[in-house]
Amino acid sequence: TKRWTSEEKERIIAYGDGVDDGMEKGKEEGIICEKLEIAKNMLKKNCEISFISEVTGLSISEIRNLQ
């Protein structure tokens, strides 16, 4: 049975934390991309910018940048 040094244990824990952080960041980016796509589709349907903001949670300036 392998005995891990404290340095190896710390590295393994740090690696796991990094993976978790990366996955969380990826999820957040995916959510933002989805909101932007929804906003683009709503703009194509001529929805009011204030309504799009309310539905998606995006700011009015973010939505205007999509136009």
Side-chain angles (χ1 to χ4, degrees), residues 9-61:
K9 289 177 186 177
E10 288 176 22
R11 245 187 284 156
I12 291 168
I13 291 169
Y15 176 80
D17 290 345
V19 170
D20 289 344
D21 290 346
M23 291 183 75
E24 187 63 32
K25 183 177 179 185
K27 286 179 189 177
E28 290 171 7
E29 288 175 1
I31 290 168
I32 291 168
C33 287
E34 184 68 18
K35 287 180 178 187
L36 292 170
E37 283 302 311
I38 291 168
K40 286 178 189 177
N41 289 333
M42 292 178 79
L43 285 169
K44 287 179 189 174
K45 298 287 185 181
N46 297 317
C47 292
E48 294 284 329
I49 291 178
S50 60
F51 177 67
I52 297 171
S53 176
E54 183 181 329
V55 169
T56 63
L58 296 171
S59 70
I60 290 175
S61 63

